[in-house]
C-alpha cells in the first residue's frame, strides 16, 4: 500500500482528473511518474488521455482514483467550480495534489486547505507553469545573482483574441469560472509579478467587458504596489487580436524583457539590457528558445521532487490565494459580483 509518506525514489503513480486540453498536456509531461487512472465526464476524452499510460484505467467518477491505495498523487485539471471539492477530498485521502491555476473561483474557497494539507502531510502544488518557461527560469537566475540591482517596477501584457463560440464556453460562465480574463490569464501575470517583486499591499485596477457578449470580463487592468513602492502594471486581454506576451522587469542596473511563449505567441525570447557606468545604450544579451515548451515537464519534475523530499512546493496554495485576493479586489471595484 502506498501512502503520502513512503514515496522515496520509487516511481510515483498518478491520476489525472479532467482530460481536456490541459489534462492532455499533463499526461504527456509526467516526468518519471506513471499514469494509472484518468477521469473525465466525457469517457472518450478520458480514454484518449489514458492511452498515455500502459494499463491506465479510465472512468467518469473522480472519486474512484482517490480510493485506490496505489495512487500517490492526482492532477486536478477541471474547471474552477469543481477544483476545491476534488482537491479537498484528495487531501483527505492522503493524496498529493497538483491543481491547475487558479485553483478556485474565489479566494475564500481555499480557506482551510493549507491547514488540511499540513494535517494529512501531503504536498499541494498549484500549476503556475509560466514560472517554468526557459526564459523565466533564466530571468530568475539573473535576478537572484544581483544582475539587475534593486528591482524598481514591472509591466506586462498577456492576451489572445478568443475564437468562434468563445462567449459560450465554460470560461464565460461565472458560476463555473469565477470570472473572465482576469482570473484566467491575469492570475499568471499576478503570480509572476509576485514571484519577482513580492507581496502587493496596494491593489488598484479595472475589469471590463468590451467586445465579447458574455457576463464576465474580457480585459483586466492592474496597478499593484509592494510595501517598498515597487509597481506592477499588468494587462490581461482576450481582445488581443494577435496573441501577445510581453513582460519587462526594471532594476537599478538593467532590464529584463521576455517576449513570446512559443507557438502562436511567437518565439520565446529573453533580453538582458545591462546599464553601463557611462549610461547611454545598454549592453544587450539575448537568449532565444525556439524549441518546444518544456515548462510542463519541468514543473512536474519539481512536483515529483517535492513529494520525494517532503518539501513545500515553490508554487503552492498561498500563491493561489494571493493571486485570487488581487482578482477579488479588482472585481469588487469594477462592479462584478460573480457569486450572484
Amino acid at each position: 500500500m502506498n501512502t503520502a509518506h513512503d514515496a522515496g525514489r520509487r516511481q510515483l503513480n498518478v491520476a489525472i482528473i479532467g482530460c481536456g486540453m490541459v489534462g492532455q498536456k499533463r499526461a504527456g509531461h509526467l516526468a518519471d511518474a506513471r499514469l494509472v487512472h484518468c477521469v473525465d465526464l466525457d469517457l472518450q476524452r478520458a480514454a484518449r488521455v489514458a492511452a498515455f499510460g500502459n494499463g491506465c484505467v479510465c472512468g467518469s467518477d473522480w472519486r474512484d482514483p482517490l480510493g485506490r491505495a496505489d495512487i500517490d498523487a492526482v492532477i486536478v485539471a477541471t474547471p474552477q467550480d469543481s477544483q476545491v471539492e476534488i482537491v479537498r477530498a484528495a487531501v483527505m485521502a492522503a493524496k498529493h495534489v497538483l491543481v491547475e491555476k487558479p485553483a478556485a473561483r474565489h479566494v475564500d474557497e481555499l480557506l482551510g486547505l493549507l491547514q488540511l494539507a499540513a494535517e494529512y502531510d501531503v504536498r499541494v502544488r498549484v500549476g503556475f507553469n509560466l514560472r517554468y518557461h526557459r526564459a523565466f527560469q533564466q530571468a530568475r537566475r539573473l535576478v537572484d545573482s544581483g544582475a539587475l540591482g534593486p528591482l524598481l517596477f514591472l509591466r506586462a501584457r498577456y492576451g489572445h483574441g478568443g475564437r468562434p463560440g468563445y462567449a459560450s464556453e465554460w470560461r464565460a460562465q461565472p458560476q463555473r469560472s469565477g470570472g473572465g480574463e482576469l482570473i484566467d490569464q491575469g492570475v499568471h501575470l499576478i503570480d509572476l509579478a509576485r514571484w519577482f517583486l513580492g507581496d502587493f499591499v496596494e491593489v488598484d485596477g479595472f475589469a471590463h467587458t468590451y467586445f465579447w457578449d458574455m457576463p464576465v470580463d474580457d480585459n483586466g487592468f492592474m496597478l499593484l504596489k509592494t510595501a517598498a513602492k515597487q509597481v506592477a502594471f499588468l494587462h490581461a486581454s482576450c481582445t488581443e487580436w494577435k496573441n501577445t506576451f510581453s513582460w519587462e522587469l526594471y532594476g537599478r542596473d538593467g532590464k529584463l524583457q521576455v517576449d513570446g511563449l512559443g507557438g502562436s505567441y511567437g518565439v520565446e525570447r529573453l533580453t538582458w539590457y545591462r546599464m553601463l557606468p557611462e549610461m547611454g545604450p545598454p549592453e544587450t544579451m539575448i537568449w532565444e528558445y525556439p524549441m518546444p515548451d518544456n515548462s510542463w515537464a519541468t514543473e512536474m519534475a519539481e512536483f515529483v521532487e517535492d513529494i520525494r523530499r517532503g518539501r513545500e512546493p515553490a508554487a503552492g496554495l498561498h500563491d493561489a490565494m494571493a493571486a485570487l485576493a488581487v482578482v477579488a479586489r479588482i472585481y469588487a471595484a469594477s462592479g462584478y459580483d460573480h457569486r450572484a
Side-chain angles (χ1 to χ4, degrees), residues 2-41:
N2 298 342
T3 73
H5 311 282
D6 69 357
R9 300 306 304 178
R10 64 173 174 75
Q11 189 175 33
L12 302 182
N13 291 331
V14 173
I16 294 178
I17 300 173
C19 297
M21 181 184 69
V22 173
Q24 292 173 38
K25 282 182 179 288
R26 290 295 181 191
H29 301 90
L30 287 177
D32 64 347
R34 178 172 52 229
L35 183 62
V36 299
H37 204 130
C38 290
V39 175
D40 197 280
L41 293 175

Side-chain angles (χ1 to χ4, degrees), residues 201-215:
V201 298
E202 295 182 42
V203 174
D204 196 7
F206 179 62
H208 191 66
T209 311
Y210 288 98
F211 176 84
W212 294 100
D213 183 14
M214 57 187 187

Side-chain angles (χ1 to χ4, degrees), residues 2-3 11 18 25 33 47 53 65 71 77 102 116 118 152 165 192-193 230 273 301 323:
N2 298 342
T3 73
Q11 189 175 33
K25 282 182 179 288
I71 289 179
L116 194 67
L152 308 178
L192 287 171
Q230 299 157 305
Y273 298 98

Side-chain angles (χ1 to χ4, degrees), residues 133 135 158-159 242-246 258-270 287-293:
H133 273 254
Y158 189 15
K242 167 61 182 75
N243 287 9
T244 296
F245 186 87
S246 174
V258 176
D259 295 293
L261 294 171
S264 62
Y265 288 91
V267 173
E268 185 175 330
R269 178 185 298 110
L270 171 66
W287 292 263
E288 283 198 346
Y289 305 99
M291 63 285 286
D293 170 19

Side-chain angles (χ1 to χ4, degrees), residues 6 38 52 57 95 114 120 132 147 219 243 298 301 304 316:
D6 69 357
C38 290
F52 283 89
V57 174
K95 309 301 184 189
L114 275 168
Y120 284 87
Y132 297 90
N219 277 264
N243 287 9
T298 304
V304 169

